[in-house]
Amino acid sequence: EPEVTQTPSHQVTQMGQEVILRCVPISNHLYFYWYRQILGQKVEFLVSFYNNEISEKSEIFDDQFSVERPDGSNFTLKIRSTKLEDSAMYFCASRGPGTTAVRNEKLFFGSGTQLSVL
Amino acid sequence: DAKTTQPPSMDCAEGRAANLPCNHSTISGNEYVYWYRQIHSQGPQYIIHGLKNNETNEMASLIITEDRKSSTLILPHATLRDTAVYYCIAGSNDYKLSFGAGTTVTVRA
């Protein structure tokens, strides 16, 4: 089965530093997402992205966060100035376009990047 | 998205069917019921979804009550690899999935 690939698997950074989390969605997918999960807590939606722009974002996704699809394969999440509370597992997800008759409901998630802010 | 209620945990014997209930009494007419699972902090994995009709795929079956206020996910022959947290999500928004606490399913040999 095709996979969403995320790198790195672990990222350690100092508070205030910028980090970029990288994702390679499945090749024919058009819709892209970031979710995060703080240790022991629920999986939370951050942002959805389609046609090179943000479709929707949550309250968590403030001005410190940005997303980009710099080329035809990568999808990145940037945190400009990390805070201790940004420590979490970050999941990238993607889905295909479906057809005009049938929505494609299946969201594929990557294995995540564990971000630790010290 | 409609709120969903799931039992916090359940055990299941290997080889037996696991029936996971979910209550979504406030679900609206255009909201689907999605099931995902998360194995040991890996990324969530799609299992199945439905709107009104019962659905079956290679992983599971989804039974939705006629009034759509509740549903049951059935894993027909549970294996040890099915041990995971199972999430029932009701929503129609563009995949802004609202994960709750889910049901921790432990399959025992």
Side-chain angles (χ1 to χ4, degrees), chain A residues 45-48 54-63 65, chain B residues 96:
Chain A
F45 168 82
L46 293 179
V47 65
S48 59
I54 291 173
S55 308
E56 189 162 359
K57 58 185 180 179
S58 71
E59 293 176 354
I60 303 168
F61 195 89
D62 61 22
D63 292 345
F65 291 86
Chain B
K96 181 184 169 184

mmCIF file with all atom_site columns, all heavy atoms in Angstrom, chain A residues 45-48 54-63 65, chain B residues 96:
data_model
loop_
_atom_site.group_PDB
_atom_site.id
_atom_site.type_symbol
_atom_site.label_atom_id
_atom_site.label_alt_id
_atom_site.label_comp_id
_atom_site.label_asym_id
_atom_site.label_entity_id
_atom_site.label_seq_id
_atom_site.pdbx_PDB_ins_code
_atom_site.Cartn_x
_atom_site.Cartn_y
_atom_site.Cartn_z
_atom_site.occupancy
_atom_site.B_iso_or_equiv
_atom_site.pdbx_formal_charge
_atom_site.auth_seq_id
_atom_site.auth_comp_id
_atom_site.auth_asym_id
_atom_site.auth_atom_id
_atom_site.pdbx_PDB_model_num
ATOM 1   N N   . PHE A 1 45 ? -6.253  18.350 15.004 1.00 0.00 ? 45 PHE A N   1
ATOM 2   C CA  . PHE A 1 45 ? -6.106  18.920 13.675 1.00 0.00 ? 45 PHE A CA  1
ATOM 3   C C   . PHE A 1 45 ? -5.363  20.251 13.748 1.00 0.00 ? 45 PHE A C   1
ATOM 4   O O   . PHE A 1 45 ? -5.636  21.082 14.613 1.00 0.00 ? 45 PHE A O   1
ATOM 5   C CB  . PHE A 1 45 ? -7.490  19.127 13.068 1.00 0.00 ? 45 PHE A CB  1
ATOM 6   C CG  . PHE A 1 45 ? -7.524  19.956 11.820 1.00 0.00 ? 45 PHE A CG  1
ATOM 7   C CD1 . PHE A 1 45 ? -7.229  19.386 10.590 1.00 0.00 ? 45 PHE A CD1 1
ATOM 8   C CD2 . PHE A 1 45 ? -7.856  21.303 11.874 1.00 0.00 ? 45 PHE A CD2 1
ATOM 9   C CE1 . PHE A 1 45 ? -7.277  20.155 9.431  1.00 0.00 ? 45 PHE A CE1 1
ATOM 10  C CE2 . PHE A 1 45 ? -7.910  22.067 10.725 1.00 0.00 ? 45 PHE A CE2 1
ATOM 11  C CZ  . PHE A 1 45 ? -7.615  21.500 9.502  1.00 0.00 ? 45 PHE A CZ  1
ATOM 12  N N   . LEU A 1 46 ? -4.428  20.461 12.830 1.00 0.00 ? 46 LEU A N   1
ATOM 13  C CA  . LEU A 1 46 ? -3.738  21.745 12.729 1.00 0.00 ? 46 LEU A CA  1
ATOM 14  C C   . LEU A 1 46 ? -4.185  22.522 11.498 1.00 0.00 ? 46 LEU A C   1
ATOM 15  O O   . LEU A 1 46 ? -4.613  23.668 11.590 1.00 0.00 ? 46 LEU A O   1
ATOM 16  C CB  . LEU A 1 46 ? -2.226  21.538 12.670 1.00 0.00 ? 46 LEU A CB  1
ATOM 17  C CG  . LEU A 1 46 ? -1.532  20.996 13.912 1.00 0.00 ? 46 LEU A CG  1
ATOM 18  C CD1 . LEU A 1 46 ? -0.034  20.839 13.642 1.00 0.00 ? 46 LEU A CD1 1
ATOM 19  C CD2 . LEU A 1 46 ? -1.762  21.910 15.094 1.00 0.00 ? 46 LEU A CD2 1
ATOM 20  N N   . VAL A 1 47 ? -4.048  21.885 10.321 1.00 0.00 ? 47 VAL A N   1
ATOM 21  C CA  . VAL A 1 47 ? -4.253  22.638 9.088  1.00 0.00 ? 47 VAL A CA  1
ATOM 22  C C   . VAL A 1 47 ? -4.534  21.686 7.926  1.00 0.00 ? 47 VAL A C   1
ATOM 23  O O   . VAL A 1 47 ? -4.075  20.539 7.924  1.00 0.00 ? 47 VAL A O   1
ATOM 24  C CB  . VAL A 1 47 ? -2.998  23.494 8.785  1.00 0.00 ? 47 VAL A CB  1
ATOM 25  C CG1 . VAL A 1 47 ? -1.803  22.600 8.493  1.00 0.00 ? 47 VAL A CG1 1
ATOM 26  C CG2 . VAL A 1 47 ? -3.226  24.490 7.675  1.00 0.00 ? 47 VAL A CG2 1
ATOM 27  N N   . SER A 1 48 ? -5.327  22.161 6.977  1.00 0.00 ? 48 SER A N   1
ATOM 28  C CA  . SER A 1 48 ? -5.520  21.441 5.726  1.00 0.00 ? 48 SER A CA  1
ATOM 29  C C   . SER A 1 48 ? -5.088  22.342 4.571  1.00 0.00 ? 48 SER A C   1
ATOM 30  O O   . SER A 1 48 ? -5.185  23.574 4.663  1.00 0.00 ? 48 SER A O   1
ATOM 31  C CB  . SER A 1 48 ? -6.971  20.998 5.557  1.00 0.00 ? 48 SER A CB  1
ATOM 32  O OG  . SER A 1 48 ? -7.852  22.108 5.562  1.00 0.00 ? 48 SER A OG  1
ATOM 33  N N   . ILE A 1 54 ? -4.022  27.259 2.139  1.00 0.00 ? 54 ILE A N   1
ATOM 34  C CA  . ILE A 1 54 ? -4.644  26.682 3.320  1.00 0.00 ? 54 ILE A CA  1
ATOM 35  C C   . ILE A 1 54 ? -6.154  26.680 3.153  1.00 0.00 ? 54 ILE A C   1
ATOM 36  O O   . ILE A 1 54 ? -6.755  27.696 2.811  1.00 0.00 ? 54 ILE A O   1
ATOM 37  C CB  . ILE A 1 54 ? -4.237  27.472 4.581  1.00 0.00 ? 54 ILE A CB  1
ATOM 38  C CG1 . ILE A 1 54 ? -2.746  27.245 4.895  1.00 0.00 ? 54 ILE A CG1 1
ATOM 39  C CG2 . ILE A 1 54 ? -5.089  27.082 5.765  1.00 0.00 ? 54 ILE A CG2 1
ATOM 40  C CD1 . ILE A 1 54 ? -2.210  28.105 6.022  1.00 0.00 ? 54 ILE A CD1 1
ATOM 41  N N   . SER A 1 55 ? -6.765  25.504 3.376  1.00 0.00 ? 55 SER A N   1
ATOM 42  C CA  . SER A 1 55 ? -8.220  25.385 3.308  1.00 0.00 ? 55 SER A CA  1
ATOM 43  C C   . SER A 1 55 ? -8.855  25.727 4.647  1.00 0.00 ? 55 SER A C   1
ATOM 44  O O   . SER A 1 55 ? -9.872  26.397 4.722  1.00 0.00 ? 55 SER A O   1
ATOM 45  C CB  . SER A 1 55 ? -8.622  23.963 2.918  1.00 0.00 ? 55 SER A CB  1
ATOM 46  O OG  . SER A 1 55 ? -7.963  23.538 1.759  1.00 0.00 ? 55 SER A OG  1
ATOM 47  N N   . GLU A 1 56 ? -8.250  25.205 5.694  1.00 0.00 ? 56 GLU A N   1
ATOM 48  C CA  . GLU A 1 56 ? -8.769  25.432 7.032  1.00 0.00 ? 56 GLU A CA  1
ATOM 49  C C   . GLU A 1 56 ? -7.633  25.266 8.033  1.00 0.00 ? 56 GLU A C   1
ATOM 50  O O   . GLU A 1 56 ? -6.705  24.514 7.786  1.00 0.00 ? 56 GLU A O   1
ATOM 51  C CB  . GLU A 1 56 ? -9.898  24.444 7.349  1.00 0.00 ? 56 GLU A CB  1
ATOM 52  C CG  . GLU A 1 56 ? -10.623 24.743 8.631  1.00 0.00 ? 56 GLU A CG  1
ATOM 53  C CD  . GLU A 1 56 ? -11.973 24.067 8.735  1.00 0.00 ? 56 GLU A CD  1
ATOM 54  O OE1 . GLU A 1 56 ? -12.366 23.355 7.787  1.00 0.00 ? 56 GLU A OE1 1
ATOM 55  O OE2 . GLU A 1 56 ? -12.629 24.243 9.775  1.00 0.00 ? 56 GLU A OE2 1
ATOM 56  N N   . LYS A 1 57 ? -7.723  25.994 9.128  1.00 0.00 ? 57 LYS A N   1
ATOM 57  C CA  . LYS A 1 57 ? -6.720  25.849 10.172 1.00 0.00 ? 57 LYS A CA  1
ATOM 58  C C   . LYS A 1 57 ? -7.391  25.938 11.532 1.00 0.00 ? 57 LYS A C   1
ATOM 59  O O   . LYS A 1 57 ? -8.448  26.532 11.674 1.00 0.00 ? 57 LYS A O   1
ATOM 60  C CB  . LYS A 1 57 ? -5.629  26.913 10.049 1.00 0.00 ? 57 LYS A CB  1
ATOM 61  C CG  . LYS A 1 57 ? -6.133  28.333 10.107 1.00 0.00 ? 57 LYS A CG  1
ATOM 62  C CD  . LYS A 1 57 ? -5.002  29.316 9.866  1.00 0.00 ? 57 LYS A CD  1
ATOM 63  C CE  . LYS A 1 57 ? -5.524  30.746 9.933  1.00 0.00 ? 57 LYS A CE  1
ATOM 64  N NZ  . LYS A 1 57 ? -4.432  31.738 9.714  1.00 0.00 ? 57 LYS A NZ  1
ATOM 65  N N   . SER A 1 58 ? -6.759  25.332 12.520 1.00 0.00 ? 58 SER A N   1
ATOM 66  C CA  . SER A 1 58 ? -7.304  25.353 13.863 1.00 0.00 ? 58 SER A CA  1
ATOM 67  C C   . SER A 1 58 ? -6.730  26.538 14.638 1.00 0.00 ? 58 SER A C   1
ATOM 68  O O   . SER A 1 58 ? -5.828  27.243 14.164 1.00 0.00 ? 58 SER A O   1
ATOM 69  C CB  . SER A 1 58 ? -6.971  24.045 14.579 1.00 0.00 ? 58 SER A CB  1
ATOM 70  O OG  . SER A 1 58 ? -5.590  23.993 14.879 1.00 0.00 ? 58 SER A OG  1
ATOM 71  N N   . GLU A 1 59 ? -7.245  26.703 15.847 1.00 0.00 ? 59 GLU A N   1
ATOM 72  C CA  . GLU A 1 59 ? -6.752  27.791 16.716 1.00 0.00 ? 59 GLU A CA  1
ATOM 73  C C   . GLU A 1 59 ? -5.291  27.582 17.094 1.00 0.00 ? 59 GLU A C   1
ATOM 74  O O   . GLU A 1 59 ? -4.584  28.537 17.403 1.00 0.00 ? 59 GLU A O   1
ATOM 75  C CB  . GLU A 1 59 ? -7.614  27.859 17.975 1.00 0.00 ? 59 GLU A CB  1
ATOM 76  C CG  . GLU A 1 59 ? -9.038  28.297 17.712 1.00 0.00 ? 59 GLU A CG  1
ATOM 77  C CD  . GLU A 1 59 ? -9.878  28.268 18.973 1.00 0.00 ? 59 GLU A CD  1
ATOM 78  O OE1 . GLU A 1 59 ? -9.380  27.801 20.015 1.00 0.00 ? 59 GLU A OE1 1
ATOM 79  O OE2 . GLU A 1 59 ? -11.038 28.717 18.907 1.00 0.00 ? 59 GLU A OE2 1
ATOM 80  N N   . ILE A 1 60 ? -4.860  26.325 17.075 1.00 0.00 ? 60 ILE A N   1
ATOM 81  C CA  . ILE A 1 60 ? -3.466  26.033 17.416 1.00 0.00 ? 60 ILE A CA  1
ATOM 82  C C   . ILE A 1 60 ? -2.532  26.625 16.370 1.00 0.00 ? 60 ILE A C   1
ATOM 83  O O   . ILE A 1 60 ? -1.434  27.081 16.666 1.00 0.00 ? 60 ILE A O   1
ATOM 84  C CB  . ILE A 1 60 ? -3.245  24.505 17.479 1.00 0.00 ? 60 ILE A CB  1
ATOM 85  C CG1 . ILE A 1 60 ? -4.186  23.856 18.486 1.00 0.00 ? 60 ILE A CG1 1
ATOM 86  C CG2 . ILE A 1 60 ? -1.797  24.180 17.800 1.00 0.00 ? 60 ILE A CG2 1
ATOM 87  C CD1 . ILE A 1 60 ? -4.212  22.355 18.382 1.00 0.00 ? 60 ILE A CD1 1
ATOM 88  N N   . PHE A 1 61 ? -2.967  26.625 15.141 1.00 0.00 ? 61 PHE A N   1
ATOM 89  C CA  . PHE A 1 61 ? -2.141  27.026 14.002 1.00 0.00 ? 61 PHE A CA  1
ATOM 90  C C   . PHE A 1 61 ? -2.082  28.545 13.951 1.00 0.00 ? 61 PHE A C   1
ATOM 91  O O   . PHE A 1 61 ? -2.779  29.193 13.161 1.00 0.00 ? 61 PHE A O   1
ATOM 92  C CB  . PHE A 1 61 ? -2.724  26.451 12.713 1.00 0.00 ? 61 PHE A CB  1
ATOM 93  C CG  . PHE A 1 61 ? -1.787  26.491 11.535 1.00 0.00 ? 61 PHE A CG  1
ATOM 94  C CD1 . PHE A 1 61 ? -0.919  25.455 11.285 1.00 0.00 ? 61 PHE A CD1 1
ATOM 95  C CD2 . PHE A 1 61 ? -1.797  27.577 10.663 1.00 0.00 ? 61 PHE A CD2 1
ATOM 96  C CE1 . PHE A 1 61 ? -0.061  25.477 10.201 1.00 0.00 ? 61 PHE A CE1 1
ATOM 97  C CE2 . PHE A 1 61 ? -0.948  27.621 9.573  1.00 0.00 ? 61 PHE A CE2 1
ATOM 98  C CZ  . PHE A 1 61 ? -0.079  26.566 9.337  1.00 0.00 ? 61 PHE A CZ  1
ATOM 99  N N   . ASP A 1 62 ? -1.239  29.128 14.807 1.00 0.00 ? 62 ASP A N   1
ATOM 100 C CA  . ASP A 1 62 ? -1.142  30.587 14.849 1.00 0.00 ? 62 ASP A CA  1
ATOM 101 C C   . ASP A 1 62 ? -0.026  31.074 13.924 1.00 0.00 ? 62 ASP A C   1
ATOM 102 O O   . ASP A 1 62 ? 0.480   30.313 13.090 1.00 0.00 ? 62 ASP A O   1
ATOM 103 C CB  . ASP A 1 62 ? -0.916  31.051 16.298 1.00 0.00 ? 62 ASP A CB  1
ATOM 104 C CG  . ASP A 1 62 ? 0.377   30.504 16.895 1.00 0.00 ? 62 ASP A CG  1
ATOM 105 O OD1 . ASP A 1 62 ? 1.286   30.129 16.133 1.00 0.00 ? 62 ASP A OD1 1
ATOM 106 O OD2 . ASP A 1 62 ? 0.457   30.450 18.135 1.00 0.00 ? 62 ASP A OD2 1
ATOM 107 N N   . ASP A 1 63 ? 0.358   32.320 14.092 1.00 0.00 ? 63 ASP A N   1
ATOM 108 C CA  . ASP A 1 63 ? 1.328   32.943 13.173 1.00 0.00 ? 63 ASP A CA  1
ATOM 109 C C   . ASP A 1 63 ? 2.712   32.304 13.242 1.00 0.00 ? 63 ASP A C   1
ATOM 110 O O   . ASP A 1 63 ? 3.555   32.579 12.380 1.00 0.00 ? 63 ASP A O   1
ATOM 111 C CB  . ASP A 1 63 ? 1.451   34.441 13.480 1.00 0.00 ? 63 ASP A CB  1
ATOM 112 C CG  . ASP A 1 63 ? 0.187   35.192 13.136 1.00 0.00 ? 63 ASP A CG  1
ATOM 113 O OD1 . ASP A 1 63 ? -0.653  34.619 12.400 1.00 0.00 ? 63 ASP A OD1 1
ATOM 114 O OD2 . ASP A 1 63 ? 0.021   36.327 13.596 1.00 0.00 ? 63 ASP A OD2 1
ATOM 115 N N   . PHE A 1 65 ? 3.218   29.203 12.921 1.00 0.00 ? 65 PHE A N   1
ATOM 116 C CA  . PHE A 1 65 ? 3.178   28.035 12.051 1.00 0.00 ? 65 PHE A CA  1
ATOM 117 C C   . PHE A 1 65 ? 2.978   28.469 10.593 1.00 0.00 ? 65 PHE A C   1
ATOM 118 O O   . PHE A 1 65 ? 2.264   29.436 10.315 1.00 0.00 ? 65 PHE A O   1
ATOM 119 C CB  . PHE A 1 65 ? 2.015   27.110 12.434 1.00 0.00 ? 65 PHE A CB  1
ATOM 120 C CG  . PHE A 1 65 ? 2.173   26.406 13.749 1.00 0.00 ? 65 PHE A CG  1
ATOM 121 C CD1 . PHE A 1 65 ? 1.786   27.021 14.930 1.00 0.00 ? 65 PHE A CD1 1
ATOM 122 C CD2 . PHE A 1 65 ? 2.704   25.129 13.809 1.00 0.00 ? 65 PHE A CD2 1
ATOM 123 C CE1 . PHE A 1 65 ? 1.920   26.373 16.150 1.00 0.00 ? 65 PHE A CE1 1
ATOM 124 C CE2 . PHE A 1 65 ? 2.839   24.467 15.024 1.00 0.00 ? 65 PHE A CE2 1
ATOM 125 C CZ  . PHE A 1 65 ? 2.446   25.102 16.197 1.00 0.00 ? 65 PHE A CZ  1
ATOM 126 N N   . LYS B 2 96 ? -11.263 17.748 8.790  1.00 0.00 ? 96 LYS B N   1
ATOM 127 C CA  . LYS B 2 96 ? -10.822 18.295 10.069 1.00 0.00 ? 96 LYS B CA  1
ATOM 128 C C   . LYS B 2 96 ? -11.342 17.316 11.116 1.00 0.00 ? 96 LYS B C   1
ATOM 129 O O   . LYS B 2 96 ? -12.275 17.595 11.837 1.00 0.00 ? 96 LYS B O   1
ATOM 130 C CB  . LYS B 2 96 ? -11.440 19.678 10.259 1.00 0.00 ? 96 LYS B CB  1
ATOM 131 C CG  . LYS B 2 96 ? -11.046 20.374 11.527 1.00 0.00 ? 96 LYS B CG  1
ATOM 132 C CD  . LYS B 2 96 ? -11.812 21.700 11.632 1.00 0.00 ? 96 LYS B CD  1
ATOM 133 C CE  . LYS B 2 96 ? -11.659 22.321 12.989 1.00 0.00 ? 96 LYS B CE  1
ATOM 134 N NZ  . LYS B 2 96 ? -12.474 23.558 13.103 1.00 0.00 ? 96 LYS B NZ  1
#
